[in-house]
Amino acid sequence: MTKILVTNDDGWDAVGLAALKTLAAEFGEVHVLAPREPHSYAGHRVTTHEPLTLIETGPREFTFSGTPADCVRAAVTSVFEDIDWVFAGINHGGNLGADLYTSATVAAAREAAYLGKPSVALSQYIKRALPLDWSRSRELAKPVLARLLAQGCPAKGYWNVNLPHLSAAEPDPSVMFCEPCKQPLPLRYRVQGEHFHYEGDYQSRPADPGADVALCFGGAITVSLIAL
């Protein structure tokens, strides 16, 4: 049976992690090692100069005091044996284009690739003021994961998947294999004395035609193969 490590960056009790655990169980034996605290936007930070604490929360399930990249390192090398795939997510928010470099969800998949494990980062783009049905997110991701598991993952590469945020009335989206957008995020700060408050608008970010930002914002599931 395929052994699947599930982790995330929103923390061990995140609803997206619960959705991914349920989904992963349809493809193999699930092993969970997730960060105890949220680590959004932590990127590929790892811990090397302080001890990390592992706590068992259930059969084949643990929380860890480290970052998502730490979780993958510890899980693959020290906690579980013979992990076949690593799934990271489902992140609460998109990880598109430039987000690849700041996302700790993507960093978990990237760390798995460095360690020779095929991996997928899954994220759910969020629109303001539109309710999100996580059960639908899980169902949209299911055929995509089935296809990627069957296709495999090139050595030293990993998959980045983003789900669009759809209303209940919208039909299921198409799946688009594409490149990550190369445009920067919108950068704006409100300055109060010595304090800078970031006020960038994620939804207004520029987008390359045919790349992941434009396609996901337009209602498609985007799939990108990322090479180390």
Side-chain angles (χ1 to χ4, degrees), residues 96-101 178-186 205-214 224-227:
L96 300 152
D99 305 335
L100 291 170
Y101 302 98
C178 60
E179 294 294 319
C181 182
K182 300 299 192 296
Q183 298 297 323
L185 287 163
R205 61 194 294 181
D208 296 323
D212 61 357
V213 172
S224 300
L225 178 60
I226 312 299

Side-chain angles (χ1 to χ4, degrees), residues 15-16 19 90 92 124-126 130-141 163-169 172:
V15 63
I90 300 172
H92 188 272
Q124 172 63 66
Y125 168 57
I126 304 292
L130 179 64
L132 178 63
D133 180 357
W134 279 103
S135 64
R136 189 176 189 193
S137 300
R138 186 178 65 242
E139 291 307 307
L140 291 179
L163 307 172
H165 192 172
L166 305 173
S167 69
D172 286 351

Side-chain angles (χ1 to χ4, degrees), residues 3-8 31 33 43-46 67-77 82-89 103-122 153-160 225-228:
K3 294 183 178 180
I4 302 170
L5 170 66
V6 175
T7 191
N8 73 342
H31 300 68
L33 203 158
H44 209 119
R45 183 167 64 86
V46 295
T67 67
D70 288 328
C71 289
V72 173
R73 285 184 169 189
V76 170
T77 65
D82 303 322
I83 290 296
D84 298 303
W85 276 82
V86 175
F87 293 172
S103 166
T105 296
V106 175
R110 185 187 305 117
E111 183 64 33
Y114 275 116
L115 297 175
K117 301 296 182 180
S119 58
V120 185
L122 298 104
C153 196
K156 303 303 180 183
Y158 59 96
W159 296 104
N160 186 48
L225 178 60
I226 312 299
L228 298 182

Side-chain angles (χ1 to χ4, degrees), residues 27-28 83 100 102 119 162 164 186 198 204 228:
F27 297 103
I83 290 296
L100 291 170
T102 56
S119 58
N162 281 271
Y198 177 68
S204 68
L228 298 182

